[in-house]
Amino acid sequence: MKFKLINTVIAVALAIALGSCTNDNDVVNATEGSGSLKIKFDHRYGDVDFIMGAPYTTSQGETIKVDNIKYIVSNIVLIKEEGGTYVYPKSKSYFIIKEQTPSLFTIELTDVPAGNYKTVKFGIGVDQEQFNLGAAGQGDFLAQAQSEGMMWSWSAGYKFLAFEGNFTSATVTDPTLFKVHTGQTGTNYNYTEVVLDMPDKALVRPTITPQIHVMADLSKILDGATKISLSPQPNIMGGVVLASITANVSTMFSVDHVHND
């Protein structure tokens, strides 16, 4: 009798455990419905956490202190592990990432079809197609960009990235202001796209909101494939150098990890 009771207890416990595992697997494997997904941007400078106003030395021997970093992330596309893509609605796909404001570190995408996503793509800046819609075609984002100082003027267009502060060097001994702004200059539009594979799948479900943790290495702005010196040109807003800055910016992002909570 005692053995029967023990066997019954064990059987019930196993059934509960198997039922729990089955339910958990159902949630992980289900790809119906929709959910939300977050992309968090974390800024670094080389191998260390980025701190506003802290001194950093570039490859050109210049010491910079950054007091403003903002950029526009746009046109987000999610690619599933089996290759299908989801293009986030263009009308909702423009965001400003701002180091100075913690609430602007993270983008939340809503109504994303459930799926296992392996790659994320996005632009830095506002694409020419969107700009060509005119001021009336920008929706609420135009007012946000103006409020955040991410436009020169409507005719001049958006600032895609603003990287500002002061610097010193062997030849510039007094702290001197610098400004690096990317955007349209003449016939060069300077919009760039980033494609990032994720080390883990982002499991979008009605009950799971994954967060993709993107690292942005700000040192790459001046120290990417092209090494940029501020001493001869503290304000970079056009010319050949800006194209090099744009190419550098496209390489400063990587996915560190994904939370599926």
Side-chain angles (χ1 to χ4, degrees):
M1 193 68 185
K2 184 175 181 182
F3 289 114
K4 287 184 178 179
L5 179 60
I6 292 172
N7 289 337
T8 301
V9 170
I10 292 172
V12 170
L14 285 172
I16 291 172
L18 290 171
S20 297
C21 291
T22 300
N23 291 336
D24 288 343
N25 288 335
D26 286 345
V27 170
V28 170
N29 294 325
T31 54
E32 296 180 354
S34 62
S36 297
L37 178 145
K38 295 180 179 181
I39 306 174
K40 180 179 180 181
F41 290 81
D42 190 355
H43 296 131
R44 298 182 64 79
Y45 198 93
D47 296 328
V48 299
D49 288 335
F50 173 75
I51 299 174
M52 194 77 77
Y56 299 101
T57 302
T58 73
S59 65
Q60 305 304 296
E62 298 170 336
T63 299
I64 66 171
K65 295 181 180 180
V66 180
D67 58 27
N68 182 33
I69 173 64
K70 302 176 191 174
Y71 47 91
I72 296 172
V73 169
S74 62
N75 297 315
I76 297 172
V77 177
L78 301 171
I79 301 175
K80 294 182 179 180
E81 61 178 342
E82 67 273 18
T85 63
Y86 172 65
V87 179
Y88 197 63
K90 194 173 179 64
S91 61
K92 302 192 296 181
S93 200
Y94 295 87
F95 307 88
I96 293 175
I97 305 301
K98 179 181 178 182
E99 170 65 26
Q100 302 91 304
T101 305
S103 64
L104 295 181
F105 288 174
T106 304
I107 290 169
E108 182 168 7
L109 310 181
T110 57
D111 300 317
V112 176
N116 302 332
Y117 294 96
K118 188 64 176 174
T119 302
V120 60
K121 296 169 59 177
F122 53 86
I124 298 298
V126 175
D127 54 290
Q128 196 160 15
E129 178 186 356
Q130 178 69 14
F131 183 70
N132 288 344
L133 294 177
Q138 306 303 304
D140 295 337
F141 186 71
L142 176 58
Q144 183 186 359
Q146 290 172 328
S147 175
E148 291 291 347
M150 293 301 283
M151 294 198 74
W152 286 298
S153 65
W154 175 249
S155 60
Y158 291 96
K159 298 175 188 175
F160 299 165
L161 172 138
F163 182 64
E164 304 172 348
N166 66 71
F167 79 101
T168 57
S169 68
T171 57
V172 181
T173 54
D174 293 327
T176 300
L177 295 178
F178 75 86
K179 292 182 179 180
V180 176
H181 295 167
T182 68
Q184 182 177 7
T185 58
T187 58
N188 296 320
Y189 200 70
N190 294 309
Y191 173 83
T192 190
E193 290 187 330
V194 178
V195 181
L196 302 176
D197 291 327
M198 295 181 259
D200 303 295
K201 293 175 288 189
L203 308 178
V204 176
R205 304 288 187 273
T207 56
I208 300 176
T209 299
Q211 178 171 278
I212 302 170
H213 195 148
V214 174
M215 307 300 289
D217 180 1
L218 301 181
S219 73
K220 293 290 183 68
I221 296 172
L222 298 177
D223 275 329
T226 302
K227 312 301 181 185
I228 308 295
S229 175
L230 295 169
S231 296
Q233 187 179 353
N235 295 321
I236 301 173
M237 301 182 191
V240 176
V241 177
L242 191 60
S244 297
I245 292 285
T246 298
N248 284 353
V249 166
S250 69
T251 68
M252 76 181 197
F253 300 96
S254 62
V255 176
D256 186 70
H257 60 272
V258 177
H259 292 291
N260 286 298
D261 298 328

